[in-house]
Amino acid sequence: EVQLLESGGGLVQPGGSLRISCAASGFTFSSYAMSWVRQAPGKGLEWVSTISGSGGDTYNADSVKGRFTISRDNSKNTLYLQMNSLRAEDTAVYYCAKESDSSGWYGVDYWGQGTLVTVSS
Amino acid sequence: QSVLTQPPSASGTPGQRVTISCSGSSSNIGSNYVYWYQQLPGTAPKLLIYRNNQRPSGVPDRFSGSKSGTSASLAISGLRSEDEADYYCTTWDDSLSGRVFGGGTKLTVL
């Protein structure tokens, strides 16, 4: 059974940094791309970042380019999102998502339960 | 403003058939697979349709997907009260080199 368990969310001040993690199990982690998708309160889904199975290719939404970095440790079956220069508009539930292929170009087939990141003074 | 356009709301009575549209362009829907998700209140999204028209195991055959050109649709037949949820379409966009989502459609079962 595929399981994705996010952690690391919380309250951070504007301009601050936070790293969230996603522990994966139930599938061969290195064979699949992984993504972060966020949802601001009362809003729709917004794609944030995708990383290929090998970690060699990363893709980022324009809204987070230069501020967020997606990475993975295939030896630990863990996905990360390093978030710097956080803004109030980054406040959202961040979902860890397993892609259905190694590139990330097809689509997500499993979602974690999400971790809430709140940016506020 | 989402790259993929969905109606913000849809409704139907129990037993009816409803369709939700998702409109894009040649760089996204026109050249990549479309996926659909259902999000019940307070929960994570759940995969409903993958690769345009394929249903994962466990998803009732009341749910079906289709794609034509730069548009896609999700159809729900035999509408039930538990289908009341938000529905999202998504695909990859070759021009943006990123994933794009529709704005979501809130389905109400009257």
Side-chain angles (χ1 to χ4, degrees), chain A residues 35 37 39 43-47 50 59-60 95 99-100 104-109 111-113, chain B residues 32-33 35 37 39 43-47 51 88 90-92 96-103:
Chain A
S35 293
V37 177
Q39 187 169 35
K43 302 296 185 182
L45 301 174
E46 180 190 13
W47 170 74
T50 295
Y59 309 90
N60 298 283
Y95 292 104
E99 296 280 342
S100 56
W105 302 339
Y106 283 16
V108 166
D109 53 7
W111 300 74
Q113 287 308 299
Chain B
N32 293 290
Y33 287 122
Y35 282 53
Y37 303 95
Q39 187 176 35
T43 69
K46 168 193 166 186
L47 178 63
R51 298 196 184 193
Y88 294 91
T90 185
T91 188
W92 189 262
L96 299 175
S97 290
R99 177 164 307 290
V100 289
F101 281 93

Short mmCIF file of all heavy atoms in Angstrom, two decimals, chain A residues 35 37 39 43-47 50 59-60 95 99-100 104-109 111-113, chain B residues 32-33 35 37 39 43-47 51 88 90-92 96-103:
data_model
loop_
_atom_site.label_atom_id
_atom_site.label_comp_id
_atom_site.label_asym_id
_atom_site.label_seq_id
_atom_site.Cartn_x
_atom_site.Cartn_y
_atom_site.Cartn_z
N SER A 35 6.10 15.02 -6.58
CA SER A 35 5.72 16.42 -6.69
C SER A 35 5.22 16.97 -5.37
O SER A 35 4.82 16.23 -4.47
CB SER A 35 4.60 16.59 -7.73
OG SER A 35 5.04 16.31 -9.03
N VAL A 37 2.26 19.77 -4.31
CA VAL A 37 1.10 20.53 -4.76
C VAL A 37 0.51 21.21 -3.53
O VAL A 37 0.39 20.58 -2.48
CB VAL A 37 0.05 19.62 -5.42
CG1 VAL A 37 -1.19 20.43 -5.83
CG2 VAL A 37 0.63 18.90 -6.63
N GLN A 39 -2.45 23.95 -1.59
CA GLN A 39 -3.82 24.44 -1.64
C GLN A 39 -4.01 25.50 -0.56
O GLN A 39 -4.00 25.17 0.64
CB GLN A 39 -4.81 23.29 -1.44
CG GLN A 39 -6.26 23.67 -1.65
CD GLN A 39 -7.17 22.44 -1.71
OE1 GLN A 39 -6.95 21.45 -1.03
NE2 GLN A 39 -8.21 22.52 -2.55
N LYS A 43 -9.11 27.69 -1.51
CA LYS A 43 -8.74 27.82 -2.93
C LYS A 43 -8.52 26.47 -3.58
O LYS A 43 -8.66 25.42 -2.95
CB LYS A 43 -7.46 28.67 -3.05
CG LYS A 43 -7.58 30.05 -2.44
CD LYS A 43 -8.61 30.90 -3.15
CE LYS A 43 -8.63 32.32 -2.59
NZ LYS A 43 -9.68 33.15 -3.26
N GLY A 44 -8.17 26.50 -4.87
CA GLY A 44 -7.95 25.28 -5.62
C GLY A 44 -6.53 24.75 -5.49
O GLY A 44 -5.70 25.30 -4.76
N LEU A 45 -6.26 23.68 -6.22
CA LEU A 45 -4.94 23.06 -6.20
C LEU A 45 -3.97 23.85 -7.07
O LEU A 45 -4.32 24.31 -8.15
CB LEU A 45 -5.03 21.62 -6.72
CG LEU A 45 -5.95 20.69 -5.94
CD1 LEU A 45 -6.06 19.34 -6.66
CD2 LEU A 45 -5.46 20.49 -4.52
N GLU A 46 -2.74 24.00 -6.56
CA GLU A 46 -1.68 24.71 -7.30
C GLU A 46 -0.43 23.86 -7.29
O GLU A 46 0.12 23.54 -6.23
CB GLU A 46 -1.38 26.07 -6.69
CG GLU A 46 -0.29 26.83 -7.43
CD GLU A 46 0.19 28.08 -6.73
OE1 GLU A 46 -0.11 28.28 -5.54
OE2 GLU A 46 0.90 28.88 -7.37
N TRP A 47 0.07 23.50 -8.47
CA TRP A 47 1.31 22.75 -8.58
C TRP A 47 2.48 23.63 -8.14
O TRP A 47 2.53 24.81 -8.48
CB TRP A 47 1.49 22.30 -10.02
CG TRP A 47 2.84 21.73 -10.31
CD1 TRP A 47 3.31 20.50 -9.93
CD2 TRP A 47 3.90 22.34 -11.05
NE1 TRP A 47 4.60 20.32 -10.39
CE2 TRP A 47 4.98 21.44 -11.07
CE3 TRP A 47 4.04 23.58 -11.68
CZ2 TRP A 47 6.19 21.72 -11.72
CZ3 TRP A 47 5.23 23.87 -12.33
CH2 TRP A 47 6.29 22.95 -12.34
N THR A 50 8.15 19.54 -9.19
CA THR A 50 8.25 18.12 -9.52
C THR A 50 9.71 17.75 -9.67
O THR A 50 10.51 18.55 -10.17
CB THR A 50 7.51 17.82 -10.84
OG1 THR A 50 6.11 18.06 -10.66
CG2 THR A 50 7.71 16.38 -11.28
N TYR A 59 11.42 20.68 -11.84
CA TYR A 59 10.57 21.66 -12.47
C TYR A 59 9.86 22.45 -11.37
O TYR A 59 9.44 21.87 -10.36
CB TYR A 59 9.51 20.98 -13.36
CG TYR A 59 10.08 19.97 -14.32
CD1 TYR A 59 10.21 18.64 -13.95
CD2 TYR A 59 10.49 20.36 -15.60
CE1 TYR A 59 10.74 17.71 -14.83
CE2 TYR A 59 11.01 19.43 -16.49
CZ TYR A 59 11.14 18.11 -16.09
OH TYR A 59 11.66 17.18 -16.97
N ASN A 60 9.76 23.76 -11.55
CA ASN A 60 9.16 24.60 -10.52
C ASN A 60 8.17 25.60 -11.12
O ASN A 60 8.40 26.13 -12.20
CB ASN A 60 10.25 25.38 -9.78
CG ASN A 60 11.22 24.46 -9.07
OD1 ASN A 60 10.92 23.91 -8.01
ND2 ASN A 60 12.40 24.29 -9.64
N TYR A 95 0.75 19.29 -0.19
CA TYR A 95 0.58 17.86 -0.41
C TYR A 95 1.80 17.27 -1.10
O TYR A 95 2.27 17.81 -2.11
CB TYR A 95 -0.64 17.58 -1.28
CG TYR A 95 -1.97 17.90 -0.65
CD1 TYR A 95 -2.69 19.03 -1.02
CD2 TYR A 95 -2.53 17.04 0.30
CE1 TYR A 95 -3.93 19.31 -0.46
CE2 TYR A 95 -3.77 17.32 0.87
CZ TYR A 95 -4.45 18.46 0.49
OH TYR A 95 -5.68 18.72 1.05
N GLU A 99 4.01 10.66 -8.53
CA GLU A 99 3.68 10.67 -9.95
C GLU A 99 3.53 9.24 -10.46
O GLU A 99 4.02 8.29 -9.85
CB GLU A 99 4.75 11.43 -10.74
CG GLU A 99 4.86 12.90 -10.38
CD GLU A 99 3.80 13.76 -11.04
OE1 GLU A 99 3.20 13.29 -12.03
OE2 GLU A 99 3.58 14.89 -10.59
N SER A 100 2.87 9.08 -11.60
CA SER A 100 2.61 7.74 -12.12
C SER A 100 3.71 7.23 -13.04
O SER A 100 3.62 6.12 -13.57
CB SER A 100 1.26 7.71 -12.86
OG SER A 100 1.24 8.69 -13.88
N GLY A 104 7.42 12.54 -14.46
CA GLY A 104 6.55 13.54 -13.86
C GLY A 104 5.65 14.23 -14.85
O GLY A 104 4.90 15.14 -14.51
N TRP A 105 5.69 13.80 -16.10
CA TRP A 105 4.92 14.46 -17.14
C TRP A 105 3.50 13.90 -17.28
O TRP A 105 2.68 14.49 -17.98
CB TRP A 105 5.62 14.33 -18.50
CG TRP A 105 7.00 14.90 -18.52
CD1 TRP A 105 7.54 15.82 -17.66
CD2 TRP A 105 8.05 14.55 -19.42
NE1 TRP A 105 8.85 16.07 -17.98
CE2 TRP A 105 9.19 15.32 -19.07
CE3 TRP A 105 8.14 13.67 -20.51
CZ2 TRP A 105 10.39 15.21 -19.75
CZ3 TRP A 105 9.34 13.57 -21.19
CH2 TRP A 105 10.44 14.34 -20.80
N TYR A 106 3.20 12.79 -16.63
CA TYR A 106 1.90 12.15 -16.83
C TYR A 106 0.89 12.66 -15.82
O TYR A 106 -0.02 13.41 -16.17
CB TYR A 106 2.05 10.63 -16.76
CG TYR A 106 2.62 10.02 -18.01
CD1 TYR A 106 3.28 10.80 -18.96
CD2 TYR A 106 2.51 8.67 -18.26
CE1 TYR A 106 3.80 10.24 -20.12
CE2 TYR A 106 3.03 8.09 -19.41
CZ TYR A 106 3.68 8.88 -20.34
OH TYR A 106 4.18 8.32 -21.47
N GLY A 107 1.02 12.26 -14.56
CA GLY A 107 0.07 12.74 -13.56
C GLY A 107 0.27 12.03 -12.24
O GLY A 107 0.91 10.99 -12.16
N VAL A 108 -0.33 12.60 -11.21
CA VAL A 108 -0.23 12.07 -9.86
C VAL A 108 -1.23 10.95 -9.66
O VAL A 108 -2.40 11.07 -10.06
CB VAL A 108 -0.49 13.19 -8.83
CG1 VAL A 108 -0.73 12.65 -7.44
CG2 VAL A 108 0.66 14.19 -8.84
N ASP A 109 -0.77 9.86 -9.01
CA ASP A 109 -1.73 8.80 -8.71
C ASP A 109 -1.98 8.62 -7.21
O ASP A 109 -2.99 8.03 -6.84
CB ASP A 109 -1.35 7.47 -9.38
CG ASP A 109 0.07 7.02 -9.09
OD1 ASP A 109 0.76 7.67 -8.27
OD2 ASP A 109 0.50 6.02 -9.69
N TRP A 111 -1.70 10.69 -3.21
CA TRP A 111 -1.50 11.93 -2.47
C TRP A 111 -1.30 11.63 -0.98
O TRP A 111 -1.90 10.71 -0.45
CB TRP A 111 -2.73 12.83 -2.60
CG TRP A 111 -3.08 13.24 -3.99
CD1 TRP A 111 -3.66 12.47 -4.97
CD2 TRP A 111 -2.91 14.53 -4.56
NE1 TRP A 111 -3.85 13.21 -6.10
CE2 TRP A 111 -3.40 14.47 -5.88
CE3 TRP A 111 -2.40 15.75 -4.08
CZ2 TRP A 111 -3.38 15.59 -6.75
CZ3 TRP A 111 -2.39 16.85 -4.94
CH2 TRP A 111 -2.87 16.75 -6.25
N GLY A 112 -0.47 12.46 -0.34
CA GLY A 112 -0.39 12.41 1.11
C GLY A 112 -1.54 13.17 1.72
O GLY A 112 -2.39 13.72 0.99
N GLN A 113 -1.58 13.24 3.03
CA GLN A 113 -2.66 13.94 3.72
C GLN A 113 -2.40 15.43 3.86
O GLN A 113 -3.30 16.19 4.21
CB GLN A 113 -2.90 13.32 5.10
CG GLN A 113 -3.58 11.96 5.01
CD GLN A 113 -4.83 12.02 4.17
OE1 GLN A 113 -5.79 12.75 4.48
NE2 GLN A 113 -4.87 11.29 3.06
N ASN B 32 -0.91 16.14 -24.10
CA ASN B 32 -0.59 15.33 -22.92
C ASN B 32 -1.84 14.68 -22.34
O ASN B 32 -2.96 15.08 -22.63
CB ASN B 32 0.08 16.20 -21.85
CG ASN B 32 1.46 16.68 -22.29
OD1 ASN B 32 2.41 15.90 -22.39
ND2 ASN B 32 1.58 17.98 -22.56
N TYR B 33 -1.60 13.71 -21.46
CA TYR B 33 -2.71 13.03 -20.80
C TYR B 33 -3.40 13.95 -19.79
O TYR B 33 -2.76 14.79 -19.16
CB TYR B 33 -2.21 11.79 -20.05
CG TYR B 33 -1.82 10.64 -20.92
CD1 TYR B 33 -0.53 10.11 -20.85
CD2 TYR B 33 -2.72 10.05 -21.78
CE1 TYR B 33 -0.15 9.03 -21.63
CE2 TYR B 33 -2.36 8.96 -22.57
CZ TYR B 33 -1.08 8.46 -22.48
OH TYR B 33 -0.72 7.39 -23.26
N TYR B 35 -5.68 14.05 -16.27
CA TYR B 35 -6.02 13.33 -15.06
C TYR B 35 -7.13 14.11 -14.34
O TYR B 35 -7.16 15.34 -14.40
CB TYR B 35 -4.82 13.20 -14.12
CG TYR B 35 -3.81 12.15 -14.50
CD1 TYR B 35 -3.26 12.10 -15.77
CD2 TYR B 35 -3.39 11.20 -13.57
CE1 TYR B 35 -2.34 11.12 -16.12
CE2 TYR B 35 -2.46 10.23 -13.90
CZ TYR B 35 -1.93 10.19 -15.17
OH TYR B 35 -1.02 9.23 -15.51
N TYR B 37 -9.32 14.46 -10.52
CA TYR B 37 -9.31 14.16 -9.09
C TYR B 37 -10.60 14.61 -8.44
O TYR B 37 -11.20 15.62 -8.84
CB TYR B 37 -8.14 14.86 -8.39
CG TYR B 37 -6.80 14.49 -8.99
CD1 TYR B 37 -6.22 15.31 -9.95
CD2 TYR B 37 -6.16 13.31 -8.64
CE1 TYR B 37 -5.02 14.96 -10.54
CE2 TYR B 37 -4.95 12.96 -9.24
CZ TYR B 37 -4.39 13.79 -10.18
OH TYR B 37 -3.21 13.44 -10.77
N GLN B 39 -12.04 15.74 -4.67
CA GLN B 39 -11.63 16.15 -3.33
C GLN B 39 -12.86 16.37 -2.47
O GLN B 39 -13.61 17.33 -2.68
CB GLN B 39 -10.76 17.41 -3.37
CG GLN B 39 -10.19 17.77 -2.00
CD GLN B 39 -9.25 18.95 -2.03
OE1 GLN B 39 -9.44 19.89 -2.79
NE2 GLN B 39 -8.22 18.92 -1.19
N THR B 43 -10.42 16.69 2.94
CA THR B 43 -9.57 15.53 2.66
C THR B 43 -8.63 15.82 1.50
O THR B 43 -8.78 16.82 0.78
CB THR B 43 -10.40 14.29 2.31
OG1 THR B 43 -11.04 14.48 1.04
CG2 THR B 43 -11.47 14.02 3.37
N ALA B 44 -7.66 14.94 1.32
CA ALA B 44 -6.73 15.06 0.19
C ALA B 44 -7.43 14.65 -1.10
O ALA B 44 -8.40 13.88 -1.08
CB ALA B 44 -5.52 14.17 0.43
N PRO B 45 -6.95 15.15 -2.24
CA PRO B 45 -7.53 14.72 -3.51
C PRO B 45 -7.35 13.22 -3.72
O PRO B 45 -6.43 12.60 -3.17
CB PRO B 45 -6.72 15.51 -4.55
CG PRO B 45 -6.17 16.67 -3.80
CD PRO B 45 -5.91 16.15 -2.42
N LYS B 46 -8.24 12.66 -4.54
CA LYS B 46 -8.19 11.24 -4.85
C LYS B 46 -8.27 11.08 -6.37
O LYS B 46 -9.06 11.76 -7.03
CB LYS B 46 -9.37 10.51 -4.20
CG LYS B 46 -9.61 9.09 -4.66
CD LYS B 46 -10.97 8.60 -4.19
CE LYS B 46 -11.38 7.34 -4.91
NZ LYS B 46 -12.75 6.92 -4.56
N LEU B 47 -7.45 10.19 -6.92
CA LEU B 47 -7.42 9.99 -8.36
C LEU B 47 -8.72 9.32 -8.83
O LEU B 47 -9.12 8.28 -8.33
CB LEU B 47 -6.23 9.12 -8.75
CG LEU B 47 -6.09 8.77 -10.22
CD1 LEU B 47 -5.86 10.03 -11.07
CD2 LEU B 47 -4.94 7.77 -10.43
N ARG B 51 -4.77 9.07 -17.57
CA ARG B 51 -4.55 8.91 -19.00
C ARG B 51 -5.83 9.10 -19.80
O ARG B 51 -6.21 8.25 -20.60
CB ARG B 51 -3.91 7.57 -19.29
CG ARG B 51 -2.54 7.43 -18.62
CD ARG B 51 -1.72 6.30 -19.17
NE ARG B 51 -0.46 6.17 -18.45
CZ ARG B 51 0.57 5.43 -18.84
NH1 ARG B 51 0.50 4.75 -19.98
NH2 ARG B 51 1.66 5.36 -18.12
N TYR B 88 -11.14 18.34 -10.00
CA TYR B 88 -10.06 19.07 -10.66
C TYR B 88 -9.51 18.27 -11.83
O TYR B 88 -9.33 17.05 -11.73
CB TYR B 88 -8.90 19.31 -9.69
CG TYR B 88 -9.22 20.23 -8.54
CD1 TYR B 88 -9.70 19.70 -7.33
CD2 TYR B 88 -9.05 21.60 -8.64
CE1 TYR B 88 -10.00 20.54 -6.27
CE2 TYR B 88 -9.35 22.44 -7.58
CZ TYR B 88 -9.82 21.91 -6.40
OH TYR B 88 -10.12 22.73 -5.35
N THR B 90 -6.14 18.10 -14.56
CA THR B 90 -4.75 18.52 -14.62
C THR B 90 -4.05 17.85 -15.79
O THR B 90 -4.46 16.78 -16.25
CB THR B 90 -4.00 18.20 -13.31
OG1 THR B 90 -2.68 18.74 -13.37
CG2 THR B 90 -3.89 16.70 -13.10
N THR B 91 -2.99 18.48 -16.27
CA THR B 91 -2.16 17.90 -17.30
C THR B 91 -0.81 18.61 -17.27
O THR B 91 -0.63 19.58 -16.52
CB THR B 91 -2.81 18.04 -18.69
OG1 THR B 91 -2.05 17.30 -19.65
CG2 THR B 91 -2.87 19.49 -19.13
N TRP B 92 0.12 18.13 -18.06
CA TRP B 92 1.43 18.77 -18.19
C TRP B 92 1.34 19.81 -19.30
O TRP B 92 0.65 19.61 -20.30
CB TRP B 92 2.49 17.74 -18.51
CG TRP B 92 3.88 18.27 -18.46
CD1 TRP B 92 4.65 18.70 -19.51
CD2 TRP B 92 4.69 18.46 -17.30
NE1 TRP B 92 5.87 19.13 -19.06
CE2 TRP B 92 5.92 18.99 -17.70
CE3 TRP B 92 4.47 18.22 -15.93
CZ2 TRP B 92 6.94 19.29 -16.80
CZ3 TRP B 92 5.49 18.51 -15.04
CH2 TRP B 92 6.70 19.04 -15.46
N LEU B 96 5.10 25.65 -20.63
CA LEU B 96 5.46 26.09 -19.29
C LEU B 96 6.45 25.16 -18.60
O LEU B 96 7.04 25.52 -17.58
CB LEU B 96 4.20 26.21 -18.42
CG LEU B 96 3.14 27.21 -18.89
CD1 LEU B 96 1.90 27.12 -18.01
CD2 LEU B 96 3.70 28.62 -18.88
N SER B 97 6.63 23.97 -19.17
CA SER B 97 7.44 22.92 -18.52
C SER B 97 7.00 22.72 -17.08
O SER B 97 7.81 22.74 -16.13
CB SER B 97 8.94 23.29 -18.56
OG SER B 97 9.43 23.21 -19.86
N GLY B 98 5.71 22.56 -16.93
CA GLY B 98 5.16 22.37 -15.60
C GLY B 98 3.75 21.83 -15.66
O GLY B 98 3.15 21.75 -16.73
N ARG B 99 3.26 21.44 -14.51
CA ARG B 99 1.91 20.91 -14.41
C ARG B 99 0.92 22.07 -14.25
O ARG B 99 1.24 23.07 -13.60
CB ARG B 99 1.81 19.98 -13.21
CG ARG B 99 0.43 19.42 -12.94
CD ARG B 99 0.51 18.21 -12.01
NE ARG B 99 1.44 17.23 -12.50
CZ ARG B 99 1.25 16.48 -13.57
NH1 ARG B 99 0.13 16.61 -14.27
NH2 ARG B 99 2.15 15.60 -13.95
N VAL B 100 -0.23 21.93 -14.85
CA VAL B 100 -1.28 22.93 -14.71
C VAL B 100 -2.57 22.26 -14.23
O VAL B 100 -2.83 21.11 -14.60
CB VAL B 100 -1.54 23.70 -16.03
CG1 VAL B 100 -0.36 24.62 -16.34
CG2 VAL B 100 -1.77 22.74 -17.19
N PHE B 101 -3.31 22.99 -13.40
CA PHE B 101 -4.58 22.50 -12.89
C PHE B 101 -5.71 23.40 -13.36
O PHE B 101 -5.50 24.60 -13.62
CB PHE B 101 -4.59 22.53 -11.35
CG PHE B 101 -3.88 21.39 -10.70
CD1 PHE B 101 -2.54 21.50 -10.34
CD2 PHE B 101 -4.53 20.19 -10.44
CE1 PHE B 101 -1.87 20.45 -9.73
CE2 PHE B 101 -3.87 19.13 -9.82
CZ PHE B 101 -2.55 19.27 -9.47
N GLY B 102 -6.89 22.82 -13.45
CA GLY B 102 -8.07 23.63 -13.62
C GLY B 102 -8.42 24.26 -12.28
O GLY B 102 -7.91 23.86 -11.24
N GLY B 103 -9.28 25.26 -12.32
CA GLY B 103 -9.63 25.97 -11.09
C GLY B 103 -10.53 25.18 -10.15
O GLY B 103 -10.74 25.58 -9.01
#
